[in-house]
Amino acid sequence: MMSRLAPRRPAWLFWWQAACPQGVSAQQRTWAGASRIPGTGSPWGATGTSPLVRRGSSSAFSCAPEVVLTRERYSVRRLPFSVVSEDDLAALERIVPGRVITDPEELEAPNVDWLRTVRGSSKVLLRPRTSQEVAHILRYCHERNLAVSPQGGNTGMVGGSTPVFDEIIVSTALMNQIVSFHNVSGVLVCQAGCVLEELSRYVEERGFVVPLDLGAKGSCHIGGNVATNAGGLRLLRYGSLRGTVLGLEVVLADGTILNCLTSLRKDNTGYDLKQLFIGSEGTLGVITAVSILCPPKPSAVNVAFLGCPGFAEVLQTFCTCRGMLGEILSAFEFMDAECMKLVGLHLHLACPVQESPFYVLIETSGSGAGHDAEKLSGFLEQVLGSGLVTDGTLATDQRRIKMLWALRERITEALSRDGYVYKYDLSLPLDRLYDLVSDLRARLGLHAKHVVGYGHLGDGNLHLNVTAEAFSPSLLGTLEPYVYEWTARQRGSVSAEHGLGFKKKDVLGYSKPPEALQLMQQLKALLDPKGILNPYKTLPTRT
Amino acid sequence: MMSRLAPRRPAWLFWWQAACPQGVSAQQRTWAGASRIPGTGSPWGATGTSPLVRRGSSSAFSCAPEVVLTRERYSVRRLPFSVVSEDDLAALERIVPGRVITDPEELEAPNVDWLRTVRGSSKVLLRPRTSQEVAHILRYCHERNLAVSPQGGNTGMVGGSTPVFDEIIVSTALMNQIVSFHNVSGVLVCQAGCVLEELSRYVEERGFVVPLDLGAKGSCHIGGNVATNAGGLRLLRYGSLRGTVLGLEVVLADGTILNCLTSLRKDNTGYDLKQLFIGSEGTLGVITAVSILCPPKPSAVNVAFLGCPGFAEVLQTFCTCRGMLGEILSAFEFMDAECMKLVGLHLHLACPVQESPFYVLIETSGSGAGHDAEKLSGFLEQVLGSGLVTDGTLATDQRRIKMLWALRERITEALSRDGYVYKYDLSLPLDRLYDLVSDLRARLGLHAKHVVGYGHLGDGNLHLNVTAEAFSPSLLGTLEPYVYEWTARQRGSVSAEHGLGFKKKDVLGYSKPPEALQLMQQLKALLDPKGILNPYKTLPTRT
């Protein structure tokens, strides 16, 4: 009943305006305004309620099995940090009065990652409101040799934002103020704890967009996004945060405030220190404020959702698309049939096109609706006519666009409902991108529930996920180091955008030479000589 | 005689196809295929001839006065490095046989910056061909405590690429090989000594563009561009090198080769070490190879050259332009009437529009000529109709586009022919951008020959230049620290894109807090403990 792009038909172009299967519409009502992370009913920034509590009280996982302590599942030894004493708690209470959380129930959620794969045993969480409070906290912890685990929205994929042992959690949840926004330049300055979706709404009301978008937008904090150098759905168009983040304020391990919070598009006065902290996952400093360049909001956005008969056709569609859509192409995402099956099964989202081995989501963003429609029309005619695409649907209004995006954005959520998820986030040469998925599917056979491949094709970024009923060391042994060795042979990256966190830190060597590892260790020693900042993360375990 | 955009006329849009004043055409023949740097008849990379020799033999400056030695003009003391001995020369000859230059005549050019404002007294220049040779050179120099001045095209504006005393010059001129280019991804991997214009030509033949363009393209090396984080004319569209450079190979001070030369669009495996070297001006390592993401070549390029009655109108034209041209806007440059006077006076370029207080150059790059022309037409109608622009001309073919660009790109050259140039390269808030130029003009009166303002308005980047018959400490005293203090009050940057080099290193504090300076010093000490790499540059003099 849905308007479709019928191939090889002269007047094939139907804009998906009204018709839509009931299942998709019903689902849309449920998640349209909600966060994309399960169990977070409303954006935390809006209510001021701690995200940690909300996530902990999630109904989605209320019947989920207990998460095993990280220190029990993995072979990891506590480093000789001090243990938080009653005197420490009193001192911290003086720094952030009324915002020292020690209630075990409140600490349940921030000790566990949202994928429910790692679990720390922190006894205290702090909620500073200002950079000065963060500075006081770190100065104190540095002197006392207390380890710290900085935490934003706790939406990471690699166990980077939860403690491993009893590290003090420093949450940015109350640092959620917008400092300034410039209506001409589009420069937004805000505290690190601002929720991405809130920022997005704020700048969109003013005619701009945040140059970053990702499935976890309803929960993730901008500080965490920058600390992990998040990629996401707009990277193809606006580039990485390394180009769009103009300035940072960072608190160093010893409590020094490093204020590089400028709003200048160009500044070549010495080393670009902020780059050290982008993507260092809280191991070199705690980001407390961010200055980011927001591009003007495109006046016309279109989304096409297409079915392709094979991965070779996906790749050819991409090349055709880049040539014909040029500067208005803002996203090129793909997902395989297994992904579609899972979002149907667990989230009841209906496939808007004929069943196909592969699906492609293409977004255009431009300043002229008519021009964009014409370009898109020419492109679709080409790919449908040549058989690269077998079926498609097109959305131009916000509601339908969101519905199509949800199919792609909510795959992570569907996977997490399917069981224990082994996640791999790889950069690979485009022509070999899907080979690993097929290869693994054959290799694992019935040992896995599902082996799926999806991701940001335009960036060469594959999300390869394997689900099973529960965590199993033997399945892990079949997957690793196989996946990493395969990736290394293609000179790919074993972490394209998720970072290393706790779970990937020891596979860094598959993508970086020993000289780079050594320099990383030297930088860590320089900036955090006692190693108190997010220990057991990012840097390989010293042997 | 030239087709112009006549304001307030319904069918006002004339594409500048044929008519063109004789003066401009004649000039075009002279500089169309030539380098933009005076005295460099052909791109060095093409012939394999050393740029240093060619620059030294420049006829443009054959009658120019001798450049005073840097150590005599500025109060700077030689650091206690070793002095190159006969044994050293023999050892270096074994590393780069036949490529150890000690002939004083050949050393004349590389000892002087192209602006002819600083002069070193190096006695030896080396021309390695490979990263391994660079590694051997640095290992030797590190052991012997010999200082090194890395040099690319020697086109810098701040004396960063010439020696200050007797540092050994390590030239990248012979490291000019393209390693690989990927026709689908657009990733170019090449040695550091490739000339930007050569690379540009190479990728354009394959349907891509280098995401960097600047006036010195005929001479500058890509390694130097990256080492100085060059901004240039395409930054507005493609963002900074921090986003487009995908990987680097760098030789560290002790000769270690750090190979981070990946070609991945996304790679979050640990700290992004290459960022340390982008913009560090050769003080932390010598860049030997670069991997850079080239965007697809736009199929339609248009350039409009407009006259504006005042700076307020320039700003309003920019806002209108950004709104109406959106994603196809690829450059927004401005220049004042004084600039136009100088390019006319020294380079005989004719102004293509009515004389105006300000001129704006707007470039669009897109994938659909018809669509782009329509957008541009709507925009021009708007700005001409509202009086923001009083006269304009439009070019669509390559030759005319180059002629219009030359008016903007060759300002630097015209200035250097006007006398000694005091150069300031500032980032400032848009609404105050030109105030400093007017202010200085009033302040200097007859003490200066010319005070001009131009630059990359779209990036908030002002090039403020003052010319005088010769260098004068008293004029310098009137300019500095006045200009820097003015900039600091606006929270601007005292070096937007030129870097600090030798001439700006001590004004870093106007744009960076003490904590940042300290961290910079620590990074330098970590990566180059003996301080042999490009000494006296970038980092403030220790007092």
Side-chain angles (χ1 to χ4, degrees):
Chain A
M1 290 303 293
M2 180 169 21
S3 302
R4 280 191 185 138
L5 308 171
R8 293 167 228 279
R9 206 173 108 185
W12 53 267
L13 193 67
F14 296 99
W15 297 79
W16 195 32
Q17 290 292 357
C20 175
Q22 198 53 40
V24 179
S25 281
Q27 189 59 31
Q28 170 72 5
R29 279 194 291 278
T30 314
W31 46 257
S35 151
R36 275 71 189 263
I37 299 296
T40 54
S42 73
W44 308 323
T47 58
T49 315
S50 161
L52 312 166
V53 180
R54 288 199 167 257
R55 172 154 304 153
S57 63
S58 157
S59 62
F61 290 122
S62 55
C63 308
E66 184 79 352
V67 181
V68 179
L69 282 168
T70 306
R71 66 167 186 256
E72 290 173 6
R73 176 168 288 168
Y74 297 90
S75 94
V76 51
R77 293 180 63 171
R78 188 181 181 283
L79 293 170
F81 298 111
S82 303
V83 173
V84 179
S85 67
E86 286 302 319
D87 283 354
D88 291 328
L89 289 178
L92 293 167
E93 180 65 32
R94 284 191 292 275
I95 298 172
V96 282
R99 285 167 284 135
V100 178
I101 314 300
T102 53
D103 174 8
E105 203 173 318
E106 280 195 70
L107 284 164
E108 174 67 17
N111 264 310
V112 179
D113 71 323
W114 85 270
L115 288 169
R116 302 184 65 75
T117 55
V118 288
R119 178 195 206 87
S121 46
S122 176
K123 304 281 189 295
V124 57
L125 177 147
L126 308 175
R127 288 190 185 135
R129 283 205 182 96
T130 65
S131 311
Q132 286 68 30
E133 287 183 347
V134 175
H136 288 163
I137 290 168
L138 290 194
R139 196 173 307 128
Y140 183 83
C141 291
H142 191 253
E143 278 170 19
R144 276 280 295 126
N145 195 35
L146 288 162
V148 165
S149 175
Q151 190 173 79
N154 194 12
T155 61
M157 302 288 196
V158 288
S161 57
T162 41
V164 175
F165 291 94
D166 57 344
E167 298 89 273
I168 294 172
I169 301 171
V170 176
S171 163
T172 52
L174 298 185
M175 301 180 65
N176 57 1
Q177 300 299 303
I178 289 172
V179 178
S180 66
F181 182 72
H182 196 277
N183 276 320
V184 174
S185 65
V187 176
L188 171 73
V189 180
C190 65
Q191 282 190 299
C194 289
V195 172
L196 179 59
E197 194 168 55
E198 292 295 297
L199 292 178
S200 223
R201 201 173 296 144
Y202 180 89
V203 304
E204 284 190 26
E205 284 166 6
R206 286 154 182 83
F208 291 82
V209 290
V210 179
L212 172 76
D213 188 24
L214 61 160
K217 72 184 91 171
S219 317
C220 63
H221 295 189
I222 188 73
N225 296 147
V226 175
T228 56
N229 188 31
L233 308 164
R234 287 180 182 158
L235 189 130
L236 184 67
R237 176 61 170 274
Y238 300 117
S240 94
L241 290 175
R242 298 199 175 276
T244 52
V245 169
L246 301 181
L248 289 182
E249 182 190 62
V250 180
V251 179
L252 303 182
D254 66 358
T256 301
I257 297 179
L258 182 69
N259 184 345
C260 294
L261 198 62
T262 55
S263 297
L264 306 165
R265 180 125 191 204
K266 285 156 88 170
D267 180 17
N268 271 354
T269 51
Y271 310 156
D272 190 3
L273 300 175
K274 69 173 184 286
Q275 299 290 346
L276 276 171
F277 305 98
I278 299 176
S280 63
E281 306 182 72
T283 61
L284 297 181
V286 177
I287 293 172
T288 49
V290 173
S291 166
I292 188 164
L293 182 68
C294 298
K297 187 180 174 181
S299 58
V301 176
N302 299 305
V303 168
F305 197 91
L306 313 172
C308 288
F311 192 71
E313 287 80 5
V314 171
L315 288 181
Q316 283 181 62
T317 303
F318 174 59
C319 288
T320 310
C321 175
R322 210 177 44 178
M324 295 184 74
L325 298 182
E327 66 280 0
I328 64 165
L329 177 63
S330 57
F332 193 102
E333 300 286 316
F334 92 102
M335 57 196 279
D336 64 13
E338 291 283 284
C339 291
M340 187 61 85
K341 183 177 138 190
L342 291 178
V343 295
L345 187 68
H346 297 295
L347 308 173
H348 312 293
L349 303 187
C351 177
V353 297
Q354 275 174 22
E355 274 192 23
S356 309
F358 290 93
Y359 303 93
V360 160
L361 185 151
I362 293 169
E363 186 191 74
T364 67
S365 311
S367 60
H371 291 164
D372 295 3
E374 250 182 73
K375 286 191 179 86
L376 198 49
S377 152
F379 158 70
L380 290 170
E381 200 158 344
Q382 168 75 23
V383 290
L384 282 161
S386 61
L388 293 179
V389 165
T390 46
D391 189 22
T393 182
L394 197 55
T396 55
D397 72 290
Q398 194 57 18
R399 206 174 74 92
R400 299 312 189 297
I401 285 173
K402 277 195 174 175
M403 291 166 77
L404 292 181
W405 261 117
L407 292 164
R408 164 64 188 84
E409 284 189 272
R410 297 185 75 201
I411 296 171
T412 309
E413 187 185 338
L415 283 161
S416 70
R417 291 179 189 226
D418 199 50
Y420 186 92
V421 190
Y422 301 84
K423 294 191 99 66
Y424 302 96
D425 161 45
L426 313 167
S427 273
L428 288 168
L430 279 185
D431 50 355
R432 298 300 309 275
L433 195 90
Y434 198 74
D435 291 355
L436 180 55
V437 184
S438 315
D439 185 337
L440 263 194
R441 208 170 269 151
R443 181 178 166 87
L444 297 178
L446 295 175
H447 295 291
K449 272 181 85 173
H450 291 101
V451 178
V452 311
Y454 63 101
H456 316 291
L457 192 95
D459 311 325
N461 184 182
L462 170 72
H463 292 315
L464 163 64
N465 285 238
V466 176
T467 61
E469 289 303 344
F471 175 81
S472 140
S474 83
L475 183 51
L476 188 65
T478 314
L479 286 164
E480 300 177 17
Y482 184 80
V483 169
Y484 300 124
E485 286 170 351
W486 201 100
T487 305
R489 279 197 298 276
Q490 312 299 325
R491 304 198 63 190
S493 168
V494 294
S495 183
E497 61 174 10
H498 291 172
L500 298 169
F502 173 76
K503 291 196 279 182
K504 307 285 181 185
K505 69 182 192 300
D506 288 319
V507 300
L508 172 57
Y510 288 99
S511 294
K512 290 278 166 72
E515 296 80 11
L517 265 72
Q518 193 189 335
L519 184 47
M520 278 181 61
Q521 298 280 14
Q522 288 173 316
L523 288 169
K524 173 72 175 176
L526 173 66
L527 280 148
D528 180 18
K530 291 184 173 180
I532 61 164
L533 287 178
N534 221 8
Y536 324 105
K537 314 281 174 63
T538 309
L539 295 146
T541 314
R542 282 174 183 273
T543 47
Chain B
M1 289 302 292
M2 177 167 25
S3 301
R4 280 192 186 141
L5 308 170
R8 293 167 226 278
R9 207 173 108 184
W12 52 268
L13 193 67
F14 297 100
W15 297 79
W16 193 31
Q17 292 290 359
C20 174
Q22 200 52 40
V24 179
S25 282
Q27 189 58 32
Q28 170 73 4
R29 279 191 293 278
T30 314
W31 46 257
S35 152
R36 277 70 190 262
I37 300 296
T40 53
S42 73
W44 306 324
T47 58
T49 315
S50 162
L52 314 166
V53 180
R54 289 201 167 256
R55 174 155 303 155
S57 63
S58 155
S59 63
F61 289 122
S62 56
C63 308
E66 184 79 353
V67 181
V68 179
L69 282 168
T70 305
R71 67 166 188 258
E72 289 174 5
R73 176 168 288 167
Y74 297 91
S75 95
V76 49
R77 293 179 64 169
R78 188 181 181 283
L79 293 170
F81 298 112
S82 304
V83 173
V84 179
S85 66
E86 286 302 317
D87 284 353
D88 293 327
L89 289 178
L92 293 168
E93 180 65 32
R94 284 191 293 274
I95 298 171
V96 282
R99 286 168 283 135
V100 177
I101 314 300
T102 53
D103 173 8
E105 203 172 317
E106 281 195 69
L107 284 164
E108 174 66 16
N111 264 311
V112 179
D113 70 323
W114 83 270
L115 288 169
R116 302 183 64 76
T117 55
V118 288
R119 179 195 206 87
S121 46
S122 177
K123 304 281 190 294
V124 57
L125 177 145
L126 309 175
R127 288 190 185 137
R129 283 205 180 97
T130 66
S131 310
Q132 285 68 31
E133 288 183 347
V134 175
H136 289 163
I137 290 168
L138 290 194
R139 197 174 306 131
Y140 182 84
C141 290
H142 190 253
E143 278 170 19
R144 274 281 295 128
N145 196 34
L146 288 163
V148 165
S149 176
Q151 189 174 80
N154 194 13
T155 61
M157 302 289 196
V158 287
S161 57
T162 41
V164 175
F165 289 93
D166 56 344
E167 298 88 273
I168 294 172
I169 302 173
V170 176
S171 163
T172 52
L174 297 186
M175 300 179 68
N176 57 0
Q177 300 299 304
I178 288 173
V179 178
S180 66
F181 182 71
H182 195 278
N183 276 321
V184 174
S185 65
V187 177
L188 171 74
V189 180
C190 65
Q191 283 191 299
C194 289
V195 172
L196 179 59
E197 195 169 53
E198 293 294 299
L199 292 178
S200 222
R201 200 172 298 143
Y202 180 90
V203 304
E204 285 190 26
E205 284 165 5
R206 286 152 183 83
F208 291 82
V209 288
V210 179
L212 172 76
D213 188 23
L214 61 160
K217 70 185 92 172
S219 318
C220 62
H221 294 189
I222 189 71
N225 296 148
V226 175
T228 55
N229 188 30
L233 308 164
R234 288 181 182 157
L235 190 131
L236 185 66
R237 175 63 169 273
Y238 301 117
S240 93
L241 290 176
R242 298 198 174 275
T244 51
V245 170
L246 301 181
L248 289 182
E249 181 190 61
V250 180
V251 179
L252 304 183
D254 65 358
T256 301
I257 297 180
L258 182 68
N259 183 344
C260 295
L261 198 62
T262 56
S263 297
L264 306 165
R265 180 124 191 205
K266 286 157 87 169
D267 180 17
N268 271 353
T269 51
Y271 310 155
D272 190 4
L273 300 175
K274 69 173 183 286
Q275 299 290 346
L276 276 172
F277 306 98
I278 300 176
S280 62
E281 306 181 73
T283 62
L284 298 182
V286 177
I287 293 171
T288 49
V290 174
S291 165
I292 188 165
L293 182 68
C294 298
K297 186 180 173 182
S299 58
V301 176
N302 298 304
V303 168
F305 197 91
L306 312 171
C308 288
F311 192 71
E313 286 80 4
V314 171
L315 288 181
Q316 283 181 62
T317 302
F318 173 59
C319 289
T320 309
C321 175
R322 210 177 45 178
M324 296 183 74
L325 299 182
E327 65 281 359
I328 63 165
L329 176 64
S330 57
F332 192 103
E333 302 286 314
F334 91 102
M335 57 195 279
D336 64 13
E338 291 284 284
C339 291
M340 187 61 84
K341 183 177 136 190
L342 291 178
V343 294
L345 187 66
H346 298 294
L347 309 173
H348 313 294
L349 303 186
C351 177
V353 298
Q354 273 173 23
E355 275 192 24
S356 309
F358 291 92
Y359 303 93
V360 161
L361 185 151
I362 293 170
E363 186 191 74
T364 67
S365 310
S367 60
H371 291 166
D372 295 4
E374 250 181 72
K375 287 191 179 85
L376 198 50
S377 151
F379 157 71
L380 291 170
E381 199 158 344
Q382 168 75 22
V383 291
L384 282 160
S386 62
L388 293 179
V389 165
T390 46
D391 190 22
T393 182
L394 197 55
T396 55
D397 72 291
Q398 194 58 19
R399 206 174 75 92
R400 298 314 188 297
I401 284 173
K402 276 195 175 176
M403 291 166 76
L404 292 181
W405 261 117
L407 292 163
R408 163 65 188 85
E409 285 189 272
R410 297 184 75 201
I411 296 170
T412 308
E413 187 185 339
L415 282 161
S416 70
R417 292 178 187 226
D418 199 50
Y420 186 92
V421 191
Y422 301 83
K423 294 190 97 68
Y424 303 95
D425 161 43
L426 314 167
S427 273
L428 287 169
L430 280 185
D431 50 355
R432 299 299 309 274
L433 195 89
Y434 200 74
D435 290 355
L436 179 57
V437 184
S438 314
D439 184 338
L440 263 194
R441 210 169 268 150
R443 181 178 167 87
L444 297 178
L446 296 175
H447 295 289
K449 271 180 87 174
H450 291 102
V451 178
V452 312
Y454 63 102
H456 317 290
L457 192 95
D459 312 324
N461 185 181
L462 170 72
H463 293 315
L464 163 64
N465 285 238
V466 176
T467 61
E469 289 303 344
F471 176 81
S472 139
S474 83
L475 182 50
L476 188 65
T478 314
L479 286 165
E480 301 177 15
Y482 184 80
V483 169
Y484 301 124
E485 287 170 351
W486 200 101
T487 304
R489 279 197 299 276
Q490 312 298 326
R491 305 197 61 189
S493 168
V494 293
S495 182
E497 61 175 12
H498 290 172
L500 299 169
F502 173 77
K503 291 196 279 182
K504 307 286 181 183
K505 69 183 193 300
D506 289 319
V507 300
L508 171 57
Y510 287 100
S511 293
K512 289 278 166 71
E515 296 80 11
L517 267 71
Q518 194 190 333
L519 183 49
M520 278 180 61
Q521 298 280 12
Q522 289 173 317
L523 288 169
K524 174 71 175 176
L526 172 67
L527 280 149
D528 181 17
K530 291 186 175 179
I532 62 164
L533 287 178
N534 222 7
Y536 324 105
K537 315 282 175 63
T538 310
L539 295 145
T541 314
R542 281 173 184 274
T543 46

